[in-house]
Coordinates of all heavy atoms in Angstrom, one line a residue:
Chain D
K208 N 0.3 -54.1 13.9 CA -1.1 -53.7 14.1 C -1.2 -52.4 14.8 O -0.4 -52.2 15.8 CB -1.8 -54.8 14.9 CG -2.0 -56.1 14.1 CD -2.8 -57.1 15.0 CE -3.0 -58.4 14.2 NZ -3.1 -59.5 15.1
P209 N -2.1 -51.5 14.4 CA -2.2 -50.2 15.1 C -2.7 -50.4 16.5 O -3.4 -51.3 16.9 CB -3.2 -49.5 14.3 CG -4.0 -50.5 13.5 CD -3.1 -51.7 13.3
V210 N -2.2 -49.5 17.4 CA -2.7 -49.5 18.8 C -3.7 -48.3 18.9 O -3.4 -47.2 18.7 CB -1.5 -49.2 19.7 CG1 -1.9 -49.2 21.2 CG2 -0.4 -50.2 19.5
T211 N -4.9 -48.7 19.3 CA -6.0 -47.7 19.4 C -6.6 -47.8 20.8 O -6.1 -48.6 21.7 CB -7.1 -47.9 18.4 OG1 -7.8 -49.1 18.8 CG2 -6.6 -48.1 17.0
S212 N -7.6 -47.0 21.1 CA -8.2 -47.0 22.4 C -8.8 -48.3 22.7 O -8.9 -48.7 23.9 CB -9.3 -45.9 22.5 OG -10.3 -46.1 21.6
K213 N -9.1 -49.1 21.7 CA -9.7 -50.4 21.9 C -8.6 -51.3 22.6 O -9.0 -52.2 23.4 CB -10.1 -51.1 20.6 CG -11.4 -50.4 20.0 CD -11.8 -51.1 18.7 CE -13.0 -50.5 18.1 NZ -13.3 -51.0 16.8
D214 N -7.4 -51.1 22.2 CA -6.3 -51.9 22.8 C -5.9 -51.4 24.2 O -5.6 -52.1 25.1 CB -5.1 -51.9 21.9 CG -5.5 -52.3 20.5 OD1 -5.8 -53.5 20.3 OD2 -5.5 -51.5 19.6
L215 N -5.9 -50.0 24.2 CA -5.3 -49.4 25.4 C -6.3 -49.4 26.6 O -5.9 -49.3 27.8 CB -5.0 -47.9 25.2 CG -3.9 -47.7 24.1 CD1 -3.8 -46.3 23.6 CD2 -2.5 -48.0 24.8
K216 N -7.6 -49.6 26.3 CA -8.6 -49.7 27.3 C -8.5 -48.6 28.4 O -8.2 -48.9 29.6 CB -8.6 -51.1 28.0 CG -8.8 -52.2 27.0 CD -8.9 -53.6 27.7 CE -9.0 -54.7 26.7 NZ -7.8 -54.9 25.8
P217 N -8.6 -47.4 28.0 CA -8.4 -46.3 29.0 C -9.5 -46.3 30.1 O -10.6 -46.8 29.9 CB -8.6 -45.0 28.1 CG -9.4 -45.5 26.9 CD -9.0 -46.9 26.7
D218 N -9.0 -45.9 31.3 CA -9.9 -45.8 32.4 C -10.7 -44.5 32.4 O -10.7 -43.8 31.4 CB -9.1 -45.9 33.7 CG -8.1 -44.8 33.9 OD1 -8.2 -43.8 33.2 OD2 -7.2 -44.9 34.7
A219 N -11.4 -44.3 33.5 CA -12.3 -43.1 33.5 C -11.6 -41.8 33.3 O -12.1 -40.8 32.8 CB -13.1 -43.1 34.8
E220 N -10.3 -41.8 33.7 CA -9.5 -40.6 33.5 C -8.9 -40.5 32.2 O -8.1 -39.5 31.9 CB -8.4 -40.6 34.6 CG -8.9 -40.6 36.0 CD -9.7 -39.3 36.3 OE1 -9.2 -38.2 36.1 OE2 -10.9 -39.5 36.8
G221 N -9.1 -41.5 31.4 CA -8.5 -41.5 30.0 C -7.1 -42.1 30.0 O -6.4 -42.1 28.9
R222 N -6.6 -42.6 31.1 CA -5.3 -43.2 31.1 C -5.3 -44.7 30.7 O -6.3 -45.4 31.0 CB -4.6 -43.2 32.5 CG -4.1 -41.8 32.9 CD -3.5 -41.8 34.3 NE -4.4 -42.2 35.3 CZ -4.9 -41.4 36.2 NH1 -4.6 -40.1 36.1 NH2 -5.8 -41.8 37.1
P223 N -4.4 -45.1 29.9 CA -4.4 -46.5 29.4 C -4.2 -47.5 30.5 O -3.5 -47.3 31.5 CB -3.2 -46.5 28.4 CG -2.3 -45.4 28.9 CD -3.2 -44.4 29.4
T224 N -5.0 -48.6 30.4 CA -4.8 -49.6 31.5 C -4.1 -50.9 30.9 O -3.6 -51.6 31.7 CB -6.2 -50.1 32.0 OG1 -7.0 -50.5 30.9 CG2 -6.9 -48.9 32.7
D225 N -4.1 -51.0 29.6 CA -3.4 -52.2 29.0 C -2.0 -51.8 28.7 O -1.6 -51.2 27.7 CB -4.1 -52.6 27.8 CG -3.6 -53.9 27.3 OD1 -2.4 -54.2 27.5 OD2 -4.4 -54.7 26.6
L226 N -1.1 -52.1 29.7 CA 0.3 -51.7 29.5 C 1.1 -52.4 28.4 O 2.0 -51.9 27.8 CB 1.1 -51.8 30.9 CG 0.4 -51.0 32.0 CD1 1.1 -51.2 33.3 CD2 0.4 -49.5 31.6
E227 N 0.6 -53.6 28.1 CA 1.2 -54.4 27.0 C 1.0 -53.6 25.7 O 1.9 -53.5 24.9 CB 0.6 -55.8 27.0 CG 1.2 -56.7 26.0 CD 0.5 -56.6 24.6 OE1 -0.7 -56.3 24.6 OE2 1.2 -56.7 23.6
A228 N -0.3 -53.2 25.5 CA -0.6 -52.4 24.3 C 0.2 -51.1 24.3 O 0.7 -50.7 23.2 CB -2.1 -52.1 24.3

Side-chain angles (χ1 to χ4, degrees):
Chain D
K208 286 186 185 153
V210 181
T211 69
S212 65
K213 287 181 183 172
D214 309 291
L215 295 164
K216 302 185 180 65
D218 62 14
E220 300 297 310
R222 284 185 298 256
T224 56
D225 190 330
L226 299 179
E227 182 274 326

